[in-house]
Each structure stands twice: as C-alpha cells, then as structure tokens.
Amino acid sequence: MKIEIIPQPLVGSVKAVASKSHAHRLLIAAALSKRTPAISIDTTSQDIEATRACLLQLKKDHPVLDCKESGSTLRFLLPVTMALKERALFLGCGRLPQRPISPLKEEMEAHGCKFINKHRKKGNSAEICEIQGRLQAGVFTLPGNVSSQYITGLLYALPLLESGSQIRITTPLESRGYVDLTLDVLKQFHIEVYIEEKEGCPTYKIPGGQKYLPPGDLAAEGDWSNIAFWIIAGILSSDSGIICNGINPRSMQGDREILNLARRMGGNLTVKGNSVLSMANTLSGIHVDASPIPDLVPILAVAASTAKGTTRIHNAHRLRIKESDRLASMYDCLSRVGAKITEEPGGLIVEGVPRLKGGTVSGYNDHRIVMAMTVASIVSEAPIIIEGAEAVNKSYPTFFEDFEALGGEYHVL
C-alpha cells in the first residue's frame, strides 16, 4: 500500500494498543500452565497472532511453528519447544529466516539439540531450521550485548527441565528492561529465578522441575514502544496536544524511557494516572545510548530532525538486524525528506533543520519505519509518500485509524 501523508498537526486522545512484548510473555506462560488462565489482549497484531498459532502447535508430537516475521516468537520458542519436544520445525517469512539465532543456537547445541538448516520454501514461508533432541539442563553462557530475547527464551524453558540450570551473562547486559519484564511475568506464574550480579553481568539460577501456576486472569499492558510515536507527535504538533491513555508509568517495559528521553529533549509532558499529555514545545538535541531502548530509535531520529542542535544516537548496532536495517532505513528516509543526518556503524547523528521538505520514501517492510515517517509529516512542508505502509500490521494494525482520529490526513495512492 502506497500512501500520501498530508502535513498537519495532530490533536486529541488515543489509547495504547496491547504491548507485544507483554502479550508474548503472558501467552507463553499461560500455555505452559496446567490450568490456562484467561489472558485479556484488547488489540492484536500479526506478531501476537504468530505466537498464538505456534503455541497451539506445541500440542503436537512434532510441531511445525511458523513464526511469520516475529523475531520474538522464534527466539522465545526455540528453547521452550525443545524443552518439551524431541523434534520441531521452525518457519518464518520476510527477513526472519536471515536474522541471527546465534549464540542461542550454539548454546542449545551444547545442551542436547541438533540444528538442521534447510531453507526450503513452504508456501509463503521458508524453513529456518529443524531441531532434533531435547534441551538438557546445565550452564548456558551468553554475552550481554546480544538479543535479550535469547535470555527470555531460556528463562521460560529451563524451569521445565528436571535439573537446575544457570544462564551466565559474560558482559554488561543491554536491553535489561526486556529481561526484567520476563522476570516479572515468571514471578506472577510462581517460577523461581535467583539472580547474582557482578559488575553489571547477572547470573540467573533456575531450579528445575518447576510448574507454571497462573495467578488468575491477566491483561496485557498498553504498549510503550508504540505509544512513543504519539508522544513525539504531540510534542511536534500543537499546544492542544495529544492525550495518550492506557499506559502504566510503573511498567517493567523498558520503552517507558521515552518519557525521560522526550523530557531531556525539552518535551512538554504531564503524567496523570495511566495517561500522558504530550504538548508542543521546542526540542533540543541530546546524546542517546540506544542499547536499552533500540525500538525507540526511529521515532527519536524523527524528533531530532527538527530539534535545535545535534542529536547523537549510539550503541545501536543491533538495529541492523531488525525487520530492516533500521539505521540505514532511517538514514535513507530522513535524507530523502530533507533531514541533515549521518549514518555511523553503530548509530546516527542528526543535526536539526527548521522543517522537512517532504518526498517519497520506502517503508522497508518495517512497521516502525512506516510509523516514524508518518509522524515526520507533522514537521514537513510538503506531503510524505510512503511505499509499503501496510507494514504497520506487524505490531499496530489500527495505526492509520488512530492517526486519522487525531486529525491526520492521508490518501491511498
């Protein structure tokens, strides 16, 4: 879908969609429970539905798990599935079959699993790997600068094994908020994990033979990573602002850091209960360590594009292996619409300009790129045309409905 976004400020209120991160974790814990609790997820997405479908496959002796384009689904369920099954086949589409699963793969291979890579097409998906052999307990060693999804997958799987295990993180842990969210959900399901930490490098000690015991009915939180787009949109828009509802300021989601980052840039934000009022203000450039909040980088780059001074975003290497190479994607998109931006190996440097000039960009089959460039239209002199705008369905299918409800105008070309 190719759309034309008409530049104008946004105003009104919007409710956060369900957090993908929280929903994935609740659904997996529920599926591993003897008694399946009711999980309330008031909005869904392609990634959440991929996890639902894969969890149903766990009822089969030899499951075939089609993770679609969801990296979380794949990385969470690789160890979980092999803690339960002797053999499983994993599929994916888009960039997912090319995205890395090392060093999780090597750690699983050292603990009883054999990976067979075939890469054959199966309908719209491709085989990622077939795995044979049950996951065995032991000591799992991972560096702290790889995907936290590997740690989450092991934290879910290892309590199911007969003997105790450890996950040793050998370098300071990045994206800690995502691991903390996992630990919070596990605690709700009465799973015990003991943590020892030295110089920012935690060791997780997990007793074996545990049972997932649900606390009762549960609900997925509102998504901080997606509401961040509307928080920045409010700052870039009018004095009336945007009210963002349905988010927990005390959430374990790391992307709630958007509040602090936006305020550091000069954003005018008021938090009251489970709502944030985001109002227009002049922004200034800052330095951003992206290691704990990689999903916020696309919208932060948009905010920086018309902020006074220079914004430097660093420690963002992992953005190169997302749904797109997000550093290259944001560099290309913002360059095409008149931003002054430099791409570095591990980040971006953005020097603010008064206004963007508009133009045509690719959505790179990446939901966060499409949403970021839609918000960029607010500070553009001419329309921004986005090719492949349907990518928002991955995490936020109602994004353009909410955009329109806030006064946004777009045309399908």
Side-chain angles (χ1 to χ4, degrees), residues 3-37:
I3 61 171
E4 179 184 40
I5 311 291
I6 307 302
Q8 57 191 35
L10 304 182
V11 63
S13 64
V14 63
K15 183 181 179 183
V17 296
S19 164
K20 265 200 320 142
S21 296
H22 198 213
H24 285 310
R25 288 162 170 81
L26 290 177
L27 289 169
I28 294 170
L32 297 175
S33 301
K34 289 291 186 182
R35 177 180 62 81
T36 304

Side-chain angles (χ1 to χ4, degrees), residues 66-82:
D66 190 344
C67 302
K68 304 299 184 182
E69 294 188 62
S70 177
S72 297
T73 305
L74 174 64
R75 290 163 176 168
F76 293 170
L77 292 184
L78 280 169
V80 168
T81 303
M82 301 321 297

